[in-house]
Amino acid sequence: IFAYAFGVPSLERFVWLSREDVQSAFDSLGKQLDMPRPLRERKGFADSAEYEAAYLGLFEVGMPEPPVPLLESSHHRAIPAQQIVLDCVNFYSVLGLRHEGSAFPADHLITQLEFLAAARFARETISDSERKSELLRLERDFLERHLLLWLPVALKKLERLSPPLFPRLLSLTHELMRNEL
């Protein structure tokens, strides 16, 4: 769901994010994760054009880079980008996943969330208990070495800018990943 929510902006995605049942589901998840503020506490986007402009201005466009790129390598200056990407690719290869042809870089939030979804699916559909344990360790290692290291940095940047919707979505994503551990 969060990979979809942070996907390339479109009218369809804006309509989906604006739906009452989707807003309620995010609020309910926030309550389950003991997060104090509801998703709807701030004014939302007036229309899909404002939503698209905000997404692009926050995550995609800027000099020398966007204010809050959804790329892990943009938030870890001490670790070379190539090393981060290679580590991600190595994790993906454990499940036989290849990054070639993907619409997003290997260290992009969406790619990382999709990898975790694939790992979870593999773990939940396999009957071998030893393999289940290995897949659970894979998920936890990935969370600790990747998402849980850079999402808090990105979230602080995003909260300072205070746009509608996106800080709460990223906060929910982060808390859900923490909860997975």
Side-chain angles (χ1 to χ4, degrees):
I1 290 173
F2 289 105
Y4 181 78
F6 281 103
V8 176
S10 66
L11 177 59
E12 176 185 278
R13 198 172 321 273
F14 170 74
V15 168
W16 180 79
L17 285 166
S18 300
R19 285 180 21 196
E20 182 65 31
D21 60 330
V22 172
Q23 297 277 325
S24 294
F26 284 134
D27 289 344
S28 177
L29 177 60
K31 286 179 187 172
Q32 289 175 9
L33 295 171
D34 292 325
M35 296 179 72
R37 347 184 280 258
L39 183 63
R40 292 172 269 192
E41 75 175 9
R42 296 185 190 170
K43 177 180 110 22
F45 295 107
D47 54 34
S48 64
E50 184 182 358
Y51 155 73
E52 183 174 352
Y55 181 97
L56 295 173
L58 290 167
F59 307 125
E60 299 286 327
V61 179
M63 286 302 288
E65 66 180 18
V68 189
L70 295 177
L71 298 169
E72 179 180 358
S73 57
S74 293
H75 302 285
H76 282 288
R77 302 295 184 198
I79 303 170
Q82 300 87 338
Q83 184 178 339
I84 292 170
V85 169
L86 179 60
D87 195 52
C88 288
V89 169
N90 288 338
F91 269 99
Y92 305 158
S93 69
V94 170
L95 296 181
L97 301 173
R98 289 200 169 94
H99 177 259
E100 299 114 27
S102 175
F104 299 99
D107 67 328
H108 194 280
L109 174 63
I110 292 173
T111 307
Q112 291 182 340
L113 292 174
E114 288 175 345
F115 165 72
L116 286 172
R120 164 70 58 94
F121 178 80
R123 180 170 53 87
E124 291 180 350
T125 58
I126 197 165
S127 59
D128 179 1
S129 62
E130 186 175 320
R131 183 72 175 139
K132 272 186 193 277
S133 177
E134 291 170 359
L135 289 168
L136 179 59
R137 189 173 36 238
L138 176 77
E139 288 176 60
R140 288 183 174 165
D141 286 350
F142 187 79
L143 282 169
E144 289 174 344
R145 287 170 60 175
H146 292 285
L147 283 163
L148 291 178
L149 288 180
W150 74 270
L151 282 182
V153 176
L155 184 56
K156 281 183 184 177
K157 291 177 184 178
L158 191 56
E159 285 177 337
R160 267 184 267 144
L161 298 169
S162 194
L165 183 65
F166 296 121
R168 186 64 174 150
L169 284 178
L170 196 60
S171 181
L172 278 169
T173 305
H174 177 249
E175 284 303 311
L176 185 61
M177 298 300 105
R178 283 176 19 112
N179 192 60
E180 289 298 306
L181 287 178

